[in-house]
Structures are given as structure tokens and as C-alpha cells.
Amino acid sequence: MKNNIHPLSDVQTEHIGENTMVWQYCVILKNAEIGNNCNINCNVFIENDVKIGDNVTIKPGVQIWDGVTLEDNVFIGPNVTFTNDLIPRSKQYPLEFSKTLIKKELLLVQILPLSQAILLVKMP
């Protein structure tokens, strides 16, 4: 099996590894890179300058914006939203977006917007 992309998803990239599943209603832009044996659940948005390693699970409702790298064996829980601009303004863009690196074998459960808390757990 090369990869399995649900017909109701809009997958523009050709850089998707073998045995990767993309479920319904996902949007993955053309320059995103996704590794082997990943599971991209429904309603996920992945922008262009995103790199996802092997054996990554992304649960429903996640948004991954430019500048995010997820290394191998990472788990991203439901509805996590990454940000690359801490002070976004309409039609005003920074010279360079912030970068985010989620290291190998980490579990990102949730970002709580009010407290800006992030729970990162090293998987056993």
C-alpha cells in the first residue's frame, strides 16, 4: 500500500510517504512533506512549509501552519492549533514566520488558549 487518501480531502502535495492515511475533509497544501506510516485524521489543515516525520499521528481538528516541523513518532492530540505569528494582523505579514519544532517521540496533548499552557510528554 503506497498511501491512502480519502476522496473528500484536498491533498495538493505529492510528498506523502508510504502507508500514510489521510482521512476526510483534510487540506494539505502543495509544499508540505509528510513521512511514512502517518495517520492524519479528519478536518486537519497543513500549510506549505510544514515537515512531518515518520509514524506521526495527528488527531481531528488540528491546524499546522508554515514553519512547523514534527519529528518522528510524535502524537498531536485533537484540536491543537500551532501559531507562527504571535501578533497576527489582517494583510500585514512578518518578514519571517516563527519556527516550531516538536522533537522526536513527544506527545502534544493540548494548547489551552487562555493560559497558553502546553503539555509535552516524552512517550515511553
Side-chain angles (χ1 to χ4, degrees):
M1 169 171 138
K2 181 157 174 46
N3 55 46
N4 189 356
I5 299 172
H6 195 283
L8 293 177
S9 283
D10 179 7
V11 176
Q12 300 167 19
T13 185
E14 295 180 12
H15 308 288
I16 297 182
E18 290 192 23
N19 299 315
T20 289
M21 297 282 297
V22 178
W23 295 91
Q24 65 271 31
Y25 312 120
C26 292
V27 175
I28 303 175
L29 298 185
K30 68 179 180 176
N31 294 324
E33 297 176 16
I34 300 172
N36 297 316
N37 199 39
C38 295
N39 188 13
I40 315 278
N41 279 233
C42 61
N43 296 308
V44 170
F45 176 78
I46 300 174
E47 207 169 22
N48 278 300
D49 181 23
V50 173
K51 292 176 181 49
I52 297 173
D54 297 333
N55 304 308
V56 172
T57 296
I58 301 173
K59 293 310 240 178
V62 173
Q63 299 174 51
I64 306 175
W65 302 99
D66 283 343
V68 174
T69 298
L70 307 176
E71 291 187 345
D72 296 343
N73 303 307
V74 167
F75 178 92
I76 306 297
N79 299 308
V80 167
T81 298
F82 293 90
T83 186
N84 58 10
D85 187 353
L86 293 177
I87 309 169
R89 292 158 306 280
S90 180
K91 305 298 180 192
Q92 296 179 28
Y93 305 102
L95 294 175
E96 181 178 84
F97 287 108
S98 299
K99 303 289 185 195
T100 301
L101 173 62
I102 304 297
K103 299 291 271 178
K104 198 182 275 194
E105 299 181 1
L106 283 178
L107 165 70
L108 180 58
V109 178
Q110 192 171 22
I111 296 176
L112 305 171
L114 295 177
S115 64
Q116 298 300 309
I118 300 173
L119 177 58
L120 290 173
V121 177
K122 176 101 170 132
M123 292 190 280

